[in-house]
Amino acid sequence: MDATHQQQGGATVKRGLKRRLILSMLLVGALPLTIGLLMAFLQGTKEIREVSGTNFEALATETARKVDLILNEELATNSQITTDVNIIHALETRRDQLAEYSDEALQALMAQETQAWTEKDPAFVQSLTENELVTILRRYDGGTYVDPGHPIPIVTRSATRGLFLTDVAGRLVATLTTTIPYAHNRTPWWKGAMNKGVGQPFIENVAFNEQLDVYTFTLSLPIMDSIRYQVVGVLHRIFDAKEFFAPSIETIRFGKTGHVMLIDGNGKVLSCPVLPTGTSLSDPNIIPLVTPMQNGWTAAPSDGHGGTRSSIIGFAPLPTTSRITQASTGMGWHMFVWQSSEELFAPIDHLFTWVSVFGLLSIALLATLGAIAAGRIVTPIRHLQEAAKLIGRGQWQEPIKIQTNDELEELADEMNRMNRQLASTFAGLESEVASKAQEVQYLQESTSQILDSVPDPVIMLDHHQHIQYMNRASKEALHVNNNGHAVEGEPLFHVLKTDTSTIKRLGEEFQSICAGSGNENMPVDSASPTFQRELRDPLQQQSDWSSTSDGREFHVDNQAYRYEWFTVRARPGQDPRIGLVFRDVTEESLLQDRLLKEEKLASLGVLSAGIGHELNNPLVGVIGLGEAIQQEDNPTQIKEYAGNIIQHGRRMASIIKDFTGLATAELKERLTRVNINEQLDHALHTVKQTHETSSFIIRTNYQSLPSLNVNPQEFSQALTNILTNSVQAMTRGDTLDITTTLTDNVMHITIEDSGTGIPRTQLSKIFDPFFTTKPQGTGAGLGLTIARRIIQKYGGQIQITSQEGEGTTCLITFPSDENNSSEVKEDAS
């Protein structure tokens, strides 16, 4: 907190008003000042950048114009050589001579001459370095043929590293040096200058020449024939890039680090007083910023010389030269003006320093003035604060004396008046408070007596499962004795002693109720099932507790109790309390057990009658056929009767086998992991083979399910029985939907038909042995019974819902756990 805390008489005193007043004055005064200084700094920085950028742009433009002029003069000087009559005549003669050669003969001749040049054949080398054309080249290079008013600059002559002529086939005709190849018909500059016989100037980019061991650039000019129609040769000049450009570029310096440099469109340095020729700019991101085909300046993210601080860079292309290089190599040449970021932004840094110092001094002055003003305001307020505390404790007797002639003095007078009124008002409150306290105590005692008179046990809990109240019935039921020990504050399950599973269930339900009542501080286990039951009034009359049985039961000392949860509204700011009311239902449970046994005996009677009826029909047939055999002499007829007897016997054996299978589980069968979807398809195929299904609409929708560990034949029989019941209940045009899904690690098999359905009165008997709604003799009444036994045997559950005339839905569920084999359960029905 921004307020200072001090301990006075056991109470915490906050001392923060003076600091807030000082901070407020600083904000009122310093904030506009800071904003003004910041805006001045930003505006000054912007103007410095714009001035520097404009100057750099002007310097780049002027230097680019100067270098471009030098290159244009060099281009014009060399163009005079290409128009020399003697050179043109000699090259035309060589062109005419080569016209007589076939391509193969020309290649052979060039190979022979190349070998002679490479092996330094004296006679051949002399023919190319001391002929008439060489003499002409030397005169041009030395300035003899040039206008005396425009002699060839010394720099041009000294920067020249090679000057030679080639003919129309690219062969060397005349050269001033011998450190060059003989054949040039495959070089880019020769092809570019020839331009398919039309001819154009070609300027090659800077590259490292291994023969000369320097970075060079070249100028190639086509030599046209006498009628200016066709190229007959190429003039090629090689320049040392560093020596050629240095006099025009490296002499331009400003400040300590400012200079200009020449680069190509890829950022390669042609000439720079800092970076070596042939290197590239250190930051490739600034290359597109400084190589457009127009003049300008930019605020680059770096300086291109290794520095990472932003910098101002001016740039300008060489107009005429760039047009030639664009046509030759696809990129222009650009002038680049640079100065180190530290030197360039030094004025901005100085401006920032002065602005910061001035701002800090201004803030210090405002803080001092604020402290003086705040002291004159806070001291009277602290006197009022101390007086208010004493008034609150009823200890103030002396009047408050503050003489400031302002609102504070008026406030002190009002507090004195309030003190006198409070003294008279509080005099009558003590008796009223005592009366209210007696009423509250009476209400608490009355509530306790009412709850003690309730015959059902009631326990009140807080949100930590600690007991806050137990009525007399709950203490008697749980055998709680208060002699020398208060039960309030004890955990619930220290008093309610039941089995572990019940404790866990009650705890989960309690947590769900806490979460539903809005207590965010109560930890709720996300894995526990949500307890979603309607909480009722515990005093509401409920005649039959057994009718609400849905698992809400626990046992204590061989006594069975049904229970209900309820909540009690608490005071504002407090958590609601949770109550548990329960009733002894031991006698009701015993009565239900007796009724269940009587129902089982009744079912056993139905079972016995059904077995007798099902066995009686084929047995009567067997007796009748046996009597017929005794009186029949025809062997063929006797054989037919015997076959019928066998069929009746097999039917009786099937009935007996189904009945015995209902009572005894075949635990020794070998289990196998099966695909539920495939088992459904197999069972559906079996039903289609034994029943007419062509008039039905059968739809399947399977999802991928984990495998199930079962006996395949037995599991398929269960599915076949269920599908058979659905098909037998359907009529023409009805629909059968078979669906499988996987939700929350539980596999669901849903078989739904739109047949006749099952009456509500018969729905509870569908799993009873030998119960059937089909005509006598058409069904044994064991299909669903056996199906449920098999499904439960492998850990599954089956549920059938139906309404008469609206179809039937069968839902089968299995837990999904591939890591554990299904445990075979023996049906003890």
Side-chain angles (χ1 to χ4, degrees):
M1 294 176 61
D2 58 37
T4 303
H5 293 72
Q6 297 179 358
Q7 291 293 127
Q8 292 185 1
T12 301
V13 181
K14 299 180 179 180
R15 303 293 189 187
L17 180 59
K18 184 175 181 179
R19 181 180 300 175
R20 289 192 179 94
L21 289 173
I22 296 174
L23 290 177
S24 299
M25 294 183 68
L26 286 176
L27 288 176
V28 172
L31 186 60
L33 176 63
T34 303
I35 294 175
L37 293 176
L38 182 60
M39 293 182 63
F41 171 74
L42 294 177
Q43 185 63 28
T45 301
K46 180 180 178 182
E47 292 180 358
I48 291 175
R49 287 176 177 270
E50 291 180 353
V51 171
S52 299
T54 303
N55 292 336
F56 286 1
E57 177 185 355
L59 181 58
T61 303
E62 180 61 25
T63 307
R65 187 193 63 78
K66 177 181 176 182
V67 175
D68 191 56
L69 182 60
I70 294 174
L71 287 170
N72 287 337
E73 291 180 353
E74 186 64 29
L75 186 65
T77 301
N78 287 277
S79 296
Q80 295 182 15
I81 303 176
T82 63
T83 58
D84 187 276
V85 177
N86 296 323
I87 294 176
I88 294 173
H89 177 70
L91 292 176
E92 286 179 336
T93 302
R94 294 178 67 93
R95 178 196 61 186
D96 297 339
Q97 292 174 353
L98 291 175
E100 299 176 358
Y101 286 84
S102 63
D103 293 340
E104 292 79 6
L106 179 59
Q107 291 179 2
L109 175 62
M110 291 185 66
Q112 180 181 359
E113 292 175 345
T114 300
Q115 181 178 2
W117 176 261
T118 304
E119 295 176 355
K120 304 297 182 182
D121 180 83
F124 188 71
V125 171
Q126 184 178 5
S127 66
L128 295 176
T129 57
E130 297 182 7
N131 56 31
E132 181 182 357
L133 296 180
V134 172
T135 302
I136 297 174
L137 291 179
R138 286 197 180 101
R139 289 176 181 175
Y140 277 105
D141 187 51
T144 305
Y145 287 173
V146 182
D147 185 358
H150 296 84
I152 294 178
I154 298 175
V155 172
T156 301
R157 292 199 302 270
S158 62
T160 300
R161 293 292 180 265
L163 180 62
F164 57 89
L165 296 172
T166 65
D167 61 9
V168 72
R171 300 185 303 162
L172 193 62
V173 176
T175 178
L176 300 183
T177 60
T178 59
T179 57
I180 58 174
Y182 177 77
H184 302 276
N185 58 332
R186 298 182 183 275
T187 60
W189 61 261
W190 188 86
K191 295 179 179 179
M194 287 291 292
N195 193 23
K196 299 180 180 180
V198 179
Q200 71 174 7
F202 189 94
I203 298 179
E204 196 172 24
N205 279 335
V206 170
F208 185 74
N209 192 311
E210 295 181 356
Q211 288 81 11
L212 301 176
D213 195 28
V214 293
Y215 280 93
T216 63
F217 76 95
T218 64
L219 173 63
S220 305
L221 297 176
I223 303 175
M224 307 301 292
D225 58 11
S226 302
I227 61 175
R228 308 296 294 175
Y229 177 74
Q230 186 180 23
V231 179
V232 293
V234 175
L235 171 68
H236 188 70
R237 194 161 196 156
I238 304 173
F239 295 99
D240 184 334
K242 179 73 174 179
E243 191 169 348
F244 184 87
F245 293 113
S248 303
I249 295 178
E250 297 187 7
T251 57
I252 301 176
R253 303 294 293 266
F254 54 94
K256 294 181 179 179
T257 59
H259 63 275
V260 297
M261 57 189 294
L262 182 64
I263 62 173
D264 64 11
N266 286 333
K268 182 181 290 186
V269 176
L270 278 67
S271 180
C272 177
V274 177
L275 298 178
T277 300
T279 60
S280 297
L281 298 180
S282 60
D283 185 2
N285 294 324
I286 70 171
I287 294 175
L289 299 177
V290 300
T291 57
M293 294 308 295
Q294 68 270 357
N295 306 337
W297 65 276
T298 183
S302 65
D303 56 18
H305 287 61
T308 57
R309 185 176 177 183
S310 62
S311 180
I312 304 298
I313 298 174
F315 53 85
L318 278 63
T320 304
T321 304
S322 291
R323 284 196 293 271
I324 298 176
T325 57
Q326 283 277 8
S328 301
T329 61
M331 65 182 70
W333 287 5
H334 306 266
M335 198 59 64
F336 182 113
V337 178
W338 172 86
Q339 189 176 21
S340 69
S341 302
E342 290 75 12
E343 183 179 4
L344 177 63
F345 295 113
I348 298 176
D349 295 338
H350 293 161
L351 176 61
F352 179 76
T353 301
W354 281 107
V355 168
S356 300
V357 171
F358 182 74
L360 292 175
L361 290 176
S362 301
I363 292 173
L365 180 60
L366 285 173
T368 303
L369 295 176
I372 296 173
R376 297 178 64 86
I377 297 173
V378 170
T379 301
I381 293 178
R382 287 181 179 172
H383 289 316
L384 291 173
Q385 181 184 16
E386 296 296 332
K389 290 181 179 179
L390 292 175
I391 292 174
R393 293 195 292 265
Q395 299 175 357
W396 184 259
Q397 297 178 356
E398 298 291 334
I400 306 172
K401 297 179 180 180
I402 295 178
Q403 296 179 353
T404 56
N405 297 322
D406 55 15
E407 289 83 353
L408 292 176
E409 182 176 351
E410 184 177 353
L411 177 60
D413 296 338
E414 293 296 331
M415 289 184 66
N416 290 329
R417 188 180 302 107
M418 179 185 66
N419 184 30
R420 292 191 295 270
Q421 292 177 353
L422 288 175
S424 60
T425 302
F426 286 155
L429 287 179
E430 294 181 356
S431 59
E432 187 175 353
V433 169
S435 175
K436 295 296 182 182
Q438 291 178 357
E439 292 180 6
V440 171
Q441 184 177 3
Y442 170 75
L443 290 175
Q444 291 178 345
E445 293 175 355
S446 300
T447 303
S448 179
Q449 291 175 0
I450 292 173
L451 290 177
D452 282 339
S453 65
V454 173
D456 294 330
V458 178
I459 301 176
M460 301 301 300
L461 306 170
D462 62 13
H463 275 69
H464 299 285
Q465 295 185 3
H466 291 167
I467 297 174
Q468 291 187 337
Y469 172 79
M470 293 181 66
N471 70 344
R472 183 181 304 161
S474 64
K475 293 178 181 179
E476 294 175 355
L478 301 179
H479 309 292
V480 174
N481 190 355
N482 287 339
N483 293 335
H485 179 69
V487 73
E488 285 75 11
E490 289 288 329
L492 171 64
F493 298 115
H494 285 186
V495 177
L496 180 60
K497 298 178 180 179
T498 182
D499 58 278
T500 305
S501 60
T502 301
I503 292 175
K504 181 179 179 182
R505 185 181 76 250
L506 291 173
E508 291 174 350
E509 293 176 358
F510 182 86
Q511 290 178 347
S512 297
I513 294 173
C514 290
S517 63
N519 183 12
E520 299 179 352
N521 298 323
M522 181 66 194
V524 179
D525 183 5
S526 61
S528 64
T530 304
F531 182 67
Q532 297 179 343
R533 298 192 182 99
E534 182 180 359
L535 302 180
R536 68 175 188 87
D537 185 352
L539 301 181
Q540 179 182 353
Q541 182 66 27
Q542 186 171 350
S543 60
D544 187 9
W545 279 63
S546 61
S547 64
T548 63
S549 176
D550 52 359
R552 289 178 288 178
E553 182 176 311
F554 61 83
H555 295 78
V556 177
D557 296 334
N558 298 324
Q559 295 294 111
Y561 294 92
R562 300 277 168 78
Y563 64 91
E564 292 282 350
W565 294 100
F566 63 93
T567 58
V568 178
R569 183 179 301 175
R571 297 177 182 177
Q574 296 182 355
D575 294 329
R577 292 191 296 174
I578 299 174
L580 177 66
V581 58
F582 48 97
R583 176 174 294 180
D584 190 345
V585 294
T586 305
E587 294 183 0
E588 289 88 339
S589 297
L590 293 176
L591 179 60
Q592 287 183 359
D593 290 342
R594 287 196 297 271
L595 292 175
L596 181 61
K597 289 180 181 179
E598 292 177 0
E599 289 180 358
K600 288 184 177 180
L601 291 175
S603 297
L604 183 59
V606 175
L607 173 65
S608 301
I611 293 173
H613 181 273
E614 291 298 323
L615 291 178
N616 183 64
N617 290 337
L619 185 59
V620 170
V622 169
I623 293 172
L625 290 172
E627 293 176 350
I629 289 175
Q630 290 179 348
Q631 300 175 3
E632 183 63 50
D633 295 331
N634 187 352
T636 302
Q637 190 64 36
I638 293 174
K639 187 175 181 180
E640 181 180 353
Y641 291 159
N644 292 334
I645 291 173
I646 292 173
Q647 290 180 359
H648 286 298
R650 286 177 178 174
R651 182 182 176 189
M652 290 188 292
S654 176
I655 294 173
I656 294 172
K657 182 178 178 181
D658 289 340
F659 174 65
T660 57
L662 180 65
T664 304
E666 299 177 1
L667 298 178
K668 297 182 180 180
E669 294 175 339
R670 186 173 182 180
L671 305 183
T672 306
R673 286 203 170 273
V674 300
N675 186 306
I676 293 179
N677 297 334
E678 294 178 357
Q679 290 290 311
L680 282 169
D681 285 337
H682 180 268
L684 183 60
H685 177 72
T686 302
V687 172
K688 288 181 177 179
Q689 294 294 324
T690 57
H691 294 77
E692 175 58 38
T693 61
S694 60
S695 62
F696 304 152
I697 300 174
I698 300 178
R699 297 179 297 204
T700 60
N701 183 12
Y702 299 153
Q703 289 188 5
S704 178
L705 301 178
S707 59
L708 190 65
N709 198 28
V710 298
N711 183 306
Q713 293 76 18
E714 196 172 37
F715 186 66
S716 178
Q717 181 62 40
L719 298 177
T720 302
N721 290 352
I722 297 172
L723 290 173
T724 299
N725 275 16
S726 296
V727 169
Q728 290 177 349
M730 295 166 61
T731 59
R732 176 180 297 274
D734 286 345
T735 301
L736 176 63
D737 291 312
I738 307 174
T739 306
T740 61
T741 58
L742 178 64
T743 305
D744 295 333
N745 291 328
V746 176
M747 298 181 286
H748 299 267
I749 304 172
T750 305
I751 301 174
E752 183 177 2
D753 66 71
S754 60
T756 58
I758 303 173
R760 181 177 300 178
T761 57
Q762 299 178 356
L763 191 60
S764 61
K765 302 177 182 179
I766 57 176
F767 292 114
D768 290 348
F770 295 99
F771 174 79
T772 178
T773 59
K774 303 179 181 65
Q776 192 71 24
T778 61
L782 293 173
L784 290 180
T785 306
I786 295 174
R788 183 175 70 166
R789 179 187 65 81
I790 295 173
I791 290 171
Q792 292 178 345
K793 173 181 177 180
Y794 297 115
Q797 297 293 331
I798 180 172
Q799 180 182 0
I800 295 179
T801 57
S802 177
Q803 290 188 6
E804 188 173 4
E806 297 184 6
T808 304
T809 300
C810 176
L811 175 63
I812 305 171
T813 60
F814 287 96
S816 173
D817 188 359
E818 297 242 23
N819 297 325
N820 296 322
S821 299
S822 298
E823 180 181 355
V824 180
K825 300 179 181 179
E826 183 175 359
D827 191 350
S829 300

